[in-house]
Structures are given as C-alpha cells and as structure tokens.
Amino acid sequence: QAGPPPVEPPPRDFAVELDKAEDAELGVEIGDCDGRVVISACGGGIVGAWNDQHPVDMQVVPGDEIVEANGVSVNTQGLAELYMGLAVGQRLTLRLRRSERQHLNLVMSRLMSEWVPLPPAGPEGAPGVGALATAAVFPDCGYIGPGETVRVRVTLRALRESDISSHLTVEFPVGPRMNEAAASLVRVALRASVRSPCTELRGSSFLDYGVVRAHARHTVAMRINNPSDIPLLARISGHDECEGAGPAVFPVESHQDVVDAFLSSARSGSSSTSTVLRMRGSAPKASGAPWVRAASACIDRSGRAPPGASATGEAANTLADSVSLLSDPDCLIVWPGRTAEVMVTLRAGSVGKFRALLRVEGFDSSRAQFIETFAEVQLPSLRMSTQLVRFPVTYTKVASAPFEVELRNDSDMAADFKWQLPDPMASALEVSLTPTEGEVSARGTRVVQVVAKPLAQLGQVQSDIPLLIGEVLQPLGLRISAQVYGCEVDYAVAPAGELPPEIVHQPRDIAGNSAVSHIVTAGRAPKSAPVVDFGVVELQKSKSVQLVLYNRSGIATPWALSVDKNPACEPPSPTRTGDLDSTSRSLSKFESTSRVPSKLEAPSRGKSLDNSVATISFHSEPQPAGQGRQLASDAAAAKKNESSMSSLGGRTNGVGGQRAGSKFDPKARSRSKLTGKRKRFLLDDKHERQAFRSSIGAEFAQQKEERAQGAVALQHGRGWAVKVEPASDWLQPFGRTVVTLTCFSDLPGLMEDELVLTVGELEAHAQGQDFRIPLRLVSKGNPLFLPDQQVGLSKECDPPQLVCGTIVPAEKSVTRSIKVSNSSAAKVMLAWDVYGKAQLTHRAENRQYVNLAVCGSLPEVASTAAAEGGDGEEGPTPEGAQAAGEAEDSGDSDEEMPFRFHMWADKPPAVADPFALPLTGDLPLRIEPKTAILQPHGSASFTVTMLASKATVTAANHYQYKLVGKGRFTEDRQAMLAAANGESRKESFVSEAPSVAMKGDEVRGLPNLRIEELDEDDSDAEPAAASPEQTREITPSPDASQGAGSGGDQPPALAEEPEKDVISTLIIDCIGDVVIPRLTVDKKDEPTADDYGYFDPKEAELDGTDPSKPLKCPMFKFVHSAVPHPTGTRLQA
C-alpha cells in the first residue's frame, strides 16, 4: 500500500528576548509582506549580539515574521504600536515564525559556508592526515581589556564516529613593550563522543500487516524522521538479508557525499523530504510474472521464481525466495528536520503466522535499529450451506421461487467470489444467482438467492455452476436440479349460478387427476370427458352454462374459446351486454353532441359572431334544472374569464361573484341564489333502468331482454347460436377462469356443435392444434306464432279457435283474416292443409293411426356428431331431436348406431264431408294463399273463407274444420348459410336415408307387420303380406336391390320417415254456421222495464191511465231461428 504524499512541515515558531539599553539600536528593518510584519534586513545592534550568542536555528534572519511583541499580536495595522513599544520598553520579547523552507535554506547556507573542513587526505606524515576531527576556534586571537570577558566559539567536525579527547591551548603573548608573557599558557580540555545522526521511527515501533493473502505482496508505509540539522543517510533491509553479512553497504564514501547529494536536491527546488540513492550495480529485483502454485492451488504473485526456473538471464538477478521484506526505497537521505516514508513490502509465503525483523541503519554508524513485523498469512476459505439445490416443481419458462444458499467464510480475510454461469441452452436450464459476484467479510456469511428457469419441458434437468473464490484455482461446485412441468389446463362444466368446483392446483403427477375436471389435450374430447349440455331450451329464451378453466401450473397462458358452427353474431359496435337500448342511447348522444345549433341558439348579447360552429355539451348525468345546459364555447369563455380575473387579483363584492366596480348583473344574483339551494335535476333514464317491483313485471323485463339478446345473436339465420363471454383472456398461474356460455335458439330441434379451445402454452396448441368439447342443445317450441289482437281469433283455446260466425245462405260466404309471424332468423315456407271433422273422427276398423318402423339415423345428426370438419349449416329436425331426447332420457348409448325406431302419425283417411260443395266436392273452408314464405322476423297474412254450402236450423258450430300449417325451410337456405359462413359450397338440407346393412342374422328378413294385426301367439317368423302403403315405405334403394342375392343374404332397405323437413306446425280450429233465417216478433209489456212518466198529470187522464202507477214500456222481441221457440223465449230475452 502506497503511503500518503509528503506534506510540508508546519512553520517553526521561536522566541527572542532582547535587553534594550538606552540609545541602543535594534539592528533590524521591518516591512509589510501581504499583511504580515516581516524582517527585511538585520545586522548589528542588539539583534546582531543575539545572533552571535545563539545557534543558527535561534538566530534572527531576514524573512522571519514577527507574530507577537511582548504578548501582543502584531500586524501591519499595528506597526505604530510596535514602534512605540520598541522605543519605550527596556525588555523586548518577540515571537518569530520561520517557514520550513527558510529553515532549510539557512541549514544549506550553514553547511556551505560555516562548516569547517574535514581532515585532509594525503600521504602519511603530512599535517592533518589521519586525524579524526578538525576543530575551528573563532575568534582565534584578540584583545581582552581590563575586566572584560571574551566569548570564543569552538567548532568540532569529526570524520567518523569516534570518541575524541584533546585540548586547546590559549596563549597570552608578550606585547611589543614587554619582554615577558602576560600570563602562563591555559589548556582547555576538548572531549567529544562523535556519533552519526540517528533515525526516529514515528507511528509505531513495529509493523503489523494484519491478515494477508498467501503468495502475494502486501505493502505498508513506515515513516522515518531526521531530528538533526544535518542530512541523514539510512539503509533499510530485512534482518535475514544482513545476518552474517557484516555492516550495511552504502552508495557513498563520506559524509561530504551525503551533504553534496542533499544540497543538490535542495537547490533543485524539490518539495520532497528525502533523496533516494541507488546502489551501484544492478540490484536484485523481484520477479513480476505470476505463476500457478500447485501445492496451494492458487496464483503466486509474491515475485518469487517458480521451481525449476533457469539461473541465467533475468532469473539470475531475482531475489532469493527467502527474502520476505522489501523496502522502497532501500537507501535514502532524509533531509534535516524532515520525515520520509518508506514502503515496506511483504512477500507472503505459505499459510501461517509470519514474524521477522526489519533493519534500519545509518551511514557510518555502528548502531542499527530493528523493527519487528507481524502478519497472519491465510488463503480465502469459503464453504456453502449445501452443494445441491433441488427444485421439485418448476414450470417451463417460468422463474421458480428463490432458494437461499449461504456462503460462510472460515478465514480471517475477506473472500471475493464469482459464480461462473454456464450457457443455459446447453442444459435447458437458465439459472440466476443474486449476487453473481461480491465479497464475504472475514468470518462472515452472505446469502445468495438461486432462481431456476427451465427453457424446455424435459422432465428432470440439472446444471453445475462453479464458484470461483478470489484467485484460488480450485472452485466449489453447486449442482442445481429441477423437475420441469409444462402448462396443464383442466376444464369443468357447472350450471349457471352455482359455485365452480374446486380442484387442487398442482401438476397431475403430484396431485393426480381430479374427479370434477378433465384434462385439456389436443383433438376431440373423449367420451368420459364432460360435455356442455344445455338440455332442453324453449325458443326465444336463453340458457347459460359455466365452463370453468383451471390452470394447474405456474405458467400464465392466453386462451381463446369459440363455437365451431353456431357462434353468436356479435354487434358491430361495443354495446352494453344484454341491453340493446344502449346502442340507441349512444346514437342519440352522438347526434346531440354533433348537431348544429339553430337560430335560437345564437350567442348572447355582447359577444361577437365568428365562423366557428358552436357545439352543445352533452352529459348523461343529471344536471341542475335552474342553470340548464351551456354551449361549450360559452363555458370555455366563462372559465377563461374567471381565470383572468383571478390572476388580476380582482376584488369581489360577494354578490353572485361580481367584481367590485363592475356593472350590476341581475342574473348573477339569481345564480348565487341557486347555489345555496338544493339542485333539481332534469329527467333521465333512471326509471327505465330500475327493477320492477312485481314478479310479473320482472319476468316480462327478463323475457324482453332475452329476446333482444337472441335477436342479435341469431342474425346469421342458423337457428341456434352460442355466445361466449369472455371469448379470450389470460389464465393466470394457478388461477381459474369462468366462461359463461349462453345459448339462443329460434328453431326447434337438436343442435350438436363443438367448443374450440386453444391454449397458447400447450405444445400441441402452439403447433396449430386445438381441443374440441362437445356442445349439445335441444330446443323446443314453435318459431311461427299467431300475433295477439286478431279479429275472430281466440288464443285462449287450445288449439286457437277462429270463429267465422253465423251466416245465411244468401250471404254465400264469410271471410276472416289471420296473421302469422316468424320469430326466427330464417325464411320459412308455410303450407296450409284443411281437414274436416269427419276425417279426424273417422273410426274405421282398418284405419292406422301411427306408424312404427326402423329408420336410418338422421344424416344431420350423424354428421354433426362424427364429422371432423362439417359445415354445420343445418340443424336436425324436430323428430331427430325427439329421438335424441328419448335416447338421452333412457340412458342408451346407441348414438353411433346407423338406425333407430321411429313412430309418426299417419294422415287422416279421405272421408266425404257432409258440408262439402255440391259441385266439386271440396271442403267449404279454404285459405289463401295456401303457401307463403315468411321472411326472418316477418309476418304474412292469410284469408280464410267459409262458403255457405248447406244450411242448418240452429247455430251449433256445425262447420268444424282444422287448418294445419306446416313450416319448412326455403330452398335458398343453404346459400344463405354459406354466405353467412363465407363458403361457396351448397348442400341440400334433407338427404335420403342411407341403406345401411344390419349386422347379424337376427334381423335378416324382418317383415313389416301392423300392430293391430299381431296376436299374443304371433311370432316374428310368421310370414305376413305387406300392404301397399308399407311396400311404398320400405321400397329398397337401387343399391340394395342390386346387392340382394337369391339366398336373401342382403337385408331390406330401412324405412323412410315422411315429412322430416317440417320444422313448425300451426293448428287452428275454424268454426261457423250457415242457418235458415226465421224471425218471431212478440209484442208484450215487460214488467221489468219502465217508460218515461208524464210531465203533466192531465195528459194521463186524457190517455186513460192511472198516473199513480208506473208506466210500462211495450217490448218487441225478435227471436232468431237458431233459438228454440217458443220454450223459454221470455226468460232468454
């Protein structure tokens, strides 16, 4: 470690005490130097006498600063007081300040001029040669007056350290007038012990390196002080280097060389405190190249040569391995009174305690100082709390929970560490350690957090991470193992309004399969998986089911859910769910905010008209009725006016916010009154959004909302639609998402569809596959209906009754108009048939009311359930839905069978009607048009005409007929569905039942028998002749007939159910009468009816009536021929 730079020593202060006699001169000149009182010149006087009697460091020289005089601080402003004190005082005490540079210059001048010369060197026998020292006497001669004292200065300069014992002889010579000496000789003994300058070690008497790293260099600073006034040459070396080698070797020969080197450095203006001297020749140096020490498994940076190095070249000039202490510099001259720093470097060796001596020796000195050095040599030693980190559950591309590993330092020195992270692609495991590098304090610990992030789903993965400790080559190893799981998603189906079932959110390998949910894979859901079954839903109503998605992993994944064939139509603009009125409200808001104001909305008086169009601000929230709505431009101007007045600091008078000094505004007072009262709000739509208090009103509102939702969802015209909310979202780790599936239907039948679920993080789904969940819905109801409030039509009866009334033969006919509406989004063709009462009530012995036969499965149902990529434009027929419902109720699992037992009603037989038209034999009731196409959500009107074919005596609803309307899809339905689906392919809705061969010999040759013809003893093996109708029903297809052999191996073709394309049926009972007209008049008084009385009693006398009795009114009773006469005529009237 390098020591601090040399610091200039502080100035030296010393005191001078002068005794001033009368009229004695001080002997100095004082001047001003940057505000300081400085002695500019000195000589003679009392100051000169002081200098003669004191050493150099106490003498007054030019450049010294006068700090105090007799205890009073002196500055340039107090020179007058200083002069006054110098003139008056008899004793003067001055405190002078001298800089270190001035002191150094004074020492230099003394060394150059005042030092006596050393003994000369020359041949033996010459004067002074071989002397140890030179003594100089000043003054060497003079005159001593009577009673006087003379001071003589003796200067001794020795050549080397020695003990000198000599004497000085003082002679008193005879004067020119005297023949003898004035006094005898005086011998003055001169003794001196000459020693070289001795160094002082400041700071400590030993060097403590503390805990250091082995096989490295460590440096500390040592301070050497020179307390003398002459330069000091010192040599620093290790005690092991000088042991047995004798005194130290210096690069100089005499003290004069030392002085000359000092003077040379001082004259150059250097600010240093020492002069470095280099040894002669090439001194050994430490090797700088580091090398690996195998024994300690670390890098050796101590400068020692590796084993087996060559002894030639640079290796021959390197220091020996035994040298442990190096000083820089190893030889230096410390200037007088200065302190120098020497950097002592320890070349640490093996681990252990180090103790050695450092030798400091002066030039030409027989004594040396020894400094003891201490060090604790160690290597960093770290250990981990564990070397195996195992993550039992991790997820692909998801960071695991942090695991803490503790690093413990068992040494007394700080240990640097660094994790060497491997390439994550090699092990498919990305490991993050925090911190990745740092330092563990001595005997301390540090926690490292380990986070694993698998990059692929590979099951068990592991990664080895080395830990580098400083420059220790043997790293520690940390193995990280992780069990990787991928994204796992389950689903469950729950009824609407119920709480979703709970599962354990853990991988299946740990928690196992759940009993309430099923795994989401790729492809079609297996039969054991739950299906979305809405059950039976009435037309024009909706039903909801919850599809719950569970994330059993810690991977957040996006998902998307859609309906394959019958998705709900979404509105083009985002509206409030289940509220179609919000669309109209948004439109009205847009119109109100963008309309141009009329002439009545001109700007107020005092405002200038501009070309900009004023807009009206619209807010859906209630507003105060007193203020009304304000133009946006006026509001902005008012706001700007308020801000400008507030910035001007205008004062208001408190009346309506009016500014003081402005014109009075009566409207402002009215506004101020409004602010203190309760605000009245304008009408809003709150009454439209509030709930009904009665259950009937709430049910009506719910039905209205369901119809509105269904009208939007069923715009494609398929007849069925399923709405998914939400259709896509993020499934959070270990989270759950509830998806609401709402079905709508305006056509009866069975709908089988599929929910297409795509989970982004599933591997198969990322490659383009999906998961399909079966979707099932049976809708019941009639898409055609009879609107209310039709003349003559009573919907309270079942079936509805159309009353044609009673007519006479002369009227010939009566007409009634009925209206039929279509509630579906598909075009329906309605065809009417008329049946008489005689046909319906005919009970012949051979009449067959129903047919029961083995028919093929509906192609629509089969294709919907089994086709992978079916178009799904058509839904199944009501008969198919009924069969599917029966199979579902019975629990049969024969959906995959190609045939079913079907039963249907037979048409009524042709029976003569008693009221048939005489000429044509047609029924007297007809409807026009007989066939009509009802547009989606449209209606059609039909005219029912009853003809007067035969008359009856009484009106007892003798004319009774049934109108049976059968609705079918139009021929262009496939094209409409293809356009809705974006397809160009067109297929027929109804296809012939395929001829499917039965498996097994049990059904081979099965005859068609009538039910009423079977007896208890009849067997299926009995032959029976088929009727013509049965033969028509089971006519084999061409393929079947061609494949039939003579042996009867090929079974007959399956029966075909008639009218499979009928989707709606309407039945209306029409009643009426045609009677012979007969009129009976009965004129009698009615006792229960009073006539108006007479105003004048005299008129009663003229009439011959008693005015006291009530006046009865004669009644004329017209009795129709249909009423029995005359029995009960009066009571009926």
Side-chain angles (χ1 to χ4, degrees):
Q1 299 177 356
V7 181
E8 184 72 18
R12 298 188 178 189
D13 292 355
F14 61 95
V16 176
E17 296 181 358
L18 302 177
D19 293 331
K20 182 182 178 184
E22 294 183 4
D23 299 334
E25 293 183 0
L26 186 60
V28 295
E29 295 183 4
I30 301 175
D32 181 9
C33 180
D34 298 333
R36 298 179 296 120
V37 179
V38 180
I39 298 176
S40 58
C42 63
I46 58 176
V47 173
W50 171 270
N51 291 341
D52 294 340
Q53 298 175 4
H54 291 82
V56 178
D57 54 347
M58 296 295 293
Q59 296 178 1
V60 179
V61 296
D64 292 342
E65 177 186 358
I66 301 177
V67 179
E68 291 180 359
N70 291 335
V72 179
S73 298
V74 177
N75 51 29
T76 55
Q77 298 179 357
L79 288 177
E81 290 78 1
L82 176 61
Y83 292 148
M84 184 67 66
L86 294 177
V88 176
Q90 296 296 327
R91 184 174 181 83
L92 181 61
T93 302
L94 300 178
R95 187 165 69 89
L96 303 181
R97 177 171 295 171
R98 180 180 301 165
S99 65
E100 189 66 23
R101 189 65 187 176
Q102 291 177 344
H103 178 72
L104 182 60
N105 294 334
L106 184 62
V107 172
M108 290 172 55
S109 62
R110 176 169 169 264
L111 289 175
M112 291 185 295
S113 59
E114 298 184 4
W115 278 31
V116 296
L118 292 173
E124 295 182 1
V129 175
L132 294 177
T134 302
V137 179
F138 180 81
D140 58 346
C141 61
Y143 176 78
I144 300 177
E148 293 181 359
T149 301
V150 175
R151 292 179 179 272
V152 177
R153 185 175 58 190
V154 179
T155 303
L156 179 67
R157 187 179 183 188
L159 183 63
R160 63 181 62 90
E161 284 189 353
S162 58
D163 293 329
I164 300 175
S165 176
S166 181
H167 62 275
L168 296 177
T169 301
V170 182
E171 298 179 353
F172 299 97
V174 178
R177 299 181 181 179
M178 299 179 63
N179 296 327
E180 55 184 12
S184 60
L185 296 176
V186 177
R187 291 179 178 269
V188 179
L190 179 61
R191 293 181 177 87
S193 296
V194 181
R195 299 291 184 266
S196 297
C198 183
T199 59
E200 288 183 356
L201 299 179
R202 292 190 174 183
S204 177
S205 59
F206 61 90
L207 295 179
D208 189 1
Y209 287 88
V211 180
V212 296
R213 178 189 175 278
H215 309 293
R217 297 184 184 184
H218 309 279
T219 303
V220 295
M222 181 179 65
R223 302 180 65 184
I224 300 178
N225 182 45
N226 182 9
S228 64
D229 292 336
I230 60 176
L232 169 63
L233 176 60
R235 172 79 185 274
I236 304 99
S237 59
H239 180 61
D240 50 358
E241 303 176 45
C242 303
E243 189 174 1
V249 179
F250 291 89
V252 296
E253 296 180 355
S254 62
H255 285 281
Q256 188 63 43
D257 297 337
V258 177
V259 173
D260 294 341
F262 160 67
L263 295 177
S264 176
S265 300
R267 290 169 183 167
S268 63
S270 175
S271 60
S272 178
T273 60
S274 62
T275 301
V276 178
L277 296 182
R278 300 297 178 185
M279 300 297 295
R280 296 185 178 92
S282 61
K285 59 182 180 180
S287 176
W291 53 281
V292 177
R293 184 175 290 273
S296 302
C298 66
I299 299 177
D300 193 324
R301 299 183 182 274
S302 63
R304 293 182 174 89
S310 176
T312 60
E314 295 183 359
N317 197 29
T318 57
L319 291 173
D321 293 345
S322 60
V323 178
S324 300
L325 296 175
L326 302 177
S327 59
D328 184 25
D330 58 350
C331 186
L332 76 161
I333 299 175
V334 184
W335 294 2
R338 298 296 184 93
T339 301
E341 287 189 352
V342 177
M343 310 307 294
V344 182
T345 302
L346 169 63
R347 297 200 302 172
S350 301
V351 176
K353 294 183 179 297
F354 175 81
R355 185 175 183 180
L357 295 177
L358 186 66
R359 180 177 180 178
V360 181
E361 186 177 1
F363 174 70
D364 197 13
S365 176
S366 59
R367 295 174 300 136
Q369 288 182 309
F370 293 91
I371 301 175
E372 193 171 10
T373 57
F374 301 93
E376 182 72 26
V377 182
Q378 295 182 5
L379 280 175
S381 177
L382 288 183
R383 58 185 177 93
M384 295 182 291
S385 58
T386 179
Q387 292 184 339
L388 176 62
V389 177
R390 185 177 182 274
F391 294 94
V393 178
T394 57
Y395 301 97
T396 307
K397 298 181 182 179
V398 176
S400 65
F403 186 92
E404 293 185 351
V405 176
E406 186 181 68
L407 300 180
R408 185 179 300 276
N409 188 0
D410 293 335
S411 62
D412 294 323
M413 61 183 305
D416 297 334
F417 69 91
K418 181 178 181 181
W419 296 96
Q420 189 174 1
L421 299 177
D423 184 11
M425 301 305 296
S427 59
L429 184 64
E430 180 181 349
V431 180
S432 175
L433 294 101
T434 305
T436 57
E437 59 183 21
E439 181 182 85
V440 182
S441 60
R443 300 292 178 181
T445 59
R446 188 157 185 181
V447 176
V448 178
Q449 291 187 347
V450 182
V451 177
K453 181 180 179 182
L455 301 181
Q457 185 176 352
L458 299 176
Q460 186 77 21
V461 295
Q462 66 181 16
S463 177
D464 294 331
I465 303 177
L467 175 62
L468 304 180
I469 306 172
E471 294 184 353
V472 179
L473 300 181
Q474 184 65 32
L476 299 179
L478 178 64
R479 172 165 293 183
I480 298 177
S481 175
Q483 181 68 32
V484 186
Y485 295 92
C487 182
E488 297 183 4
V489 178
D490 284 10
Y491 80 97
V493 180
E498 295 185 4
L499 294 177
E502 298 290 339
I503 69 169
V504 179
H505 292 272
Q506 290 182 355
R508 297 182 189 89
D509 294 345
I510 301 176
N513 294 326
S514 176
V516 297
S517 63
H518 192 272
I519 180 176
V520 175
T521 57
R524 195 180 303 274
K527 293 183 179 180
S528 60
V531 299
V532 180
D533 191 355
F534 290 97
V536 180
V537 181
E538 297 183 9
L539 296 185
Q540 305 301 324
K541 292 186 178 181
S542 62
K543 191 174 182 180
S544 298
V545 173
Q546 296 180 125
L547 181 68
V548 188
L549 299 178
Y550 303 92
N551 190 353
R552 304 185 68 164
S553 65
I555 305 174
T557 176
W559 61 268
L561 187 65
S562 62
V563 181
D564 185 20
K565 305 170 185 177
N566 300 287
C569 179
E570 296 293 337
S573 59
T575 58
R576 189 168 51 193
T577 304
D579 188 5
L580 294 180
D581 295 336
S582 60
T583 306
S584 60
R585 280 194 290 268
S586 302
L587 181 60
S588 62
K589 178 179 178 179
F590 172 76
E591 293 175 351
S592 63
T593 54
S594 59
R595 68 183 182 91
V596 179
S598 60
K599 294 181 180 180
L600 297 178
E601 298 172 350
S604 59
R605 183 178 301 175
K607 295 184 178 180
S608 60
L609 295 174
D610 53 2
N611 296 328
S612 62
V613 179
T615 59
I616 296 180
S617 61
F618 180 85
H619 302 282
S620 60
E621 294 81 7
Q623 295 186 1
Q627 295 182 0
R629 300 177 186 262
Q630 190 179 19
L631 289 175
S633 58
D634 295 345
K639 186 176 181 180
K640 182 178 180 181
N641 188 20
E642 293 176 2
S643 61
S644 62
M645 291 184 63
S646 61
S647 62
L648 292 175
R651 182 173 54 88
T652 58
N653 57 8
V655 181
Q658 184 180 1
R659 189 167 182 263
S662 61
K663 186 177 180 180
F664 174 74
D665 185 8
K667 295 183 179 181
R669 176 172 294 181
S670 63
R671 287 195 296 268
S672 65
K673 292 180 180 180
L674 288 174
T675 56
K677 296 182 180 180
R678 184 177 181 181
K679 298 180 180 179
R680 295 182 297 108
F681 296 95
L682 297 175
L683 292 178
D684 54 12
D685 59 348
K686 182 179 181 180
H687 63 283
E688 299 178 2
R689 292 183 281 106
Q690 67 183 3
F692 289 91
R693 295 184 179 180
S694 64
S695 59
I696 299 177
E699 183 179 359
F700 173 78
Q702 182 179 1
Q703 293 178 358
K704 181 180 178 181
E705 183 177 357
E706 290 178 355
R707 286 194 299 269
Q709 293 179 0
V712 176
L714 296 168
Q715 287 183 1
H716 288 317
R718 296 184 179 90
W720 298 274
V722 178
K723 187 176 182 180
V724 181
E725 290 181 332
S728 61
D729 200 352
W730 278 85
L731 188 58
Q732 298 301 326
F734 307 107
R736 181 186 66 187
T737 299
V738 179
V739 182
T740 303
L741 305 175
T742 306
C743 65
F744 306 92
S745 176
D746 57 8
L747 293 176
L750 171 65
M751 180 205 66
E752 290 186 343
D753 205 339
E754 292 178 345
L755 285 174
V756 182
L757 175 62
T758 304
V759 181
E761 290 298 332
L762 292 181
E763 184 178 359
H765 292 197
Q767 297 175 359
Q769 302 184 30
D770 52 30
F771 182 70
R772 294 176 177 266
I773 305 173
L775 185 67
R776 183 185 179 91
L777 165 66
V778 177
S779 57
K780 291 186 178 180
N782 198 339
L784 304 182
F785 66 96
L786 298 172
D788 298 333
Q789 299 180 357
Q790 298 193 46
V791 177
L793 183 64
S794 175
K795 296 180 61 177
E796 296 180 358
C797 302
D798 188 18
Q801 191 176 76
L802 179 63
V803 180
C804 296
T806 303
I807 63 174
V808 298
E811 296 182 16
K812 297 183 180 180
S813 65
V814 62
T815 59
R816 291 288 186 267
S817 179
I818 60 174
K819 187 177 181 180
V820 180
S821 296
N822 181 13
S823 63
S824 67
K827 293 193 296 184
V828 179
M829 182 180 66
L830 181 62
W832 292 97
D833 292 328
V834 182
Y835 298 97
K837 181 179 180 181
Q839 288 181 279
L840 300 176
T841 59
H842 178 67
R843 295 184 178 181
E845 294 182 358
N846 60 349
R847 180 179 176 183
Q848 183 175 352
Y849 289 91
V850 295
N851 289 329
L852 179 63
V854 178
C855 302
S857 298
L858 293 177
E860 298 80 8
V861 178
S863 62
T864 306
E868 281 290 335
D871 299 332
E873 297 92 354
E874 295 295 332
T877 61
E879 292 79 2
Q882 182 179 2
E886 293 174 357
E888 181 182 3
D889 297 337
S890 62
D892 296 338
S893 59
D894 57 349
E895 295 183 0
E896 299 181 356
M897 299 300 292
F899 56 86
R900 289 181 184 273
F901 283 95
H902 286 270
M903 183 174 64
W904 64 91
D906 200 358
K907 291 184 178 181
V911 179
D913 188 75
F915 298 100
L917 297 179
L919 297 180
T920 60
D922 295 337
L923 297 178
L925 188 73
R926 63 188 179 188
I927 183 171
E928 295 177 349
K930 198 170 185 180
T931 302
I933 297 178
L934 279 72
Q935 299 296 329
H937 302 289
S939 60
S941 297
F942 300 89
T943 302
V944 180
T945 304
M946 188 182 72
L947 301 176
S949 59
K950 293 181 182 180
T952 60
V953 178
T954 60
N957 296 332
H958 294 87
Y959 282 65
Q960 295 184 7
Y961 297 92
K962 283 187 181 294
L963 293 176
V964 179
K966 296 181 179 181
R968 296 174 174 85
F969 289 121
T970 58
E971 296 180 356
D972 59 346
R973 174 165 173 78
Q974 294 299 324
M976 295 173 58
L977 292 178
N981 293 338
E983 300 173 355
S984 59
R985 182 166 53 89
K986 178 179 179 182
E987 297 179 357
S988 61
F989 170 65
V990 179
S991 60
E992 296 182 356
S995 176
V996 181
M998 300 183 183
K999 298 180 180 181
D1001 298 335
E1002 291 80 8
V1003 295
R1004 183 177 295 114
L1006 184 65
N1008 291 324
L1009 301 177
R1010 293 182 177 272
I1011 298 178
E1012 62 271 11
E1013 296 178 0
L1014 296 177
D1015 297 332
E1016 294 181 357
D1017 298 334
D1018 289 341
S1019 174
D1020 294 344
E1022 295 179 0
S1027 63
E1029 295 180 358
Q1030 293 172 338
T1031 305
R1032 176 182 56 82
E1033 292 176 359
I1034 61 173
T1035 300
S1037 61
D1039 298 337
S1041 61
Q1042 293 177 4
S1046 60
D1049 295 337
Q1050 183 69 21
L1054 299 179
E1056 181 179 355
E1057 182 181 355
E1059 296 184 349
K1060 293 187 298 183
D1061 57 343
V1062 176
I1063 63 172
S1064 177
T1065 303
L1066 290 177
I1067 300 177
I1068 302 176
D1069 287 343
C1070 295
I1071 60 175
D1073 279 297
V1074 179
V1075 298
I1076 299 174
R1078 180 183 300 176
L1079 184 62
T1080 301
V1081 181
D1082 184 10
K1083 181 180 178 183
K1084 292 183 179 180
D1085 292 341
E1086 177 63 33
T1088 60
D1090 295 338
D1091 198 358
Y1092 291 103
Y1094 294 101
F1095 293 99
D1096 190 358
K1098 296 181 178 181
E1099 294 182 1
E1101 295 177 359
L1102 296 176
D1103 195 12
T1105 59
D1106 189 0
S1108 61
K1109 295 182 179 180
L1111 183 62
K1112 302 299 180 182
C1113 178
M1115 303 295 292
F1116 292 87
K1117 300 177 177 59
F1118 298 88
V1119 182
H1120 196 268
S1121 60
V1123 180
H1125 181 72
T1127 305
T1129 301
R1130 183 177 297 276
L1131 295 177
Q1132 292 180 5

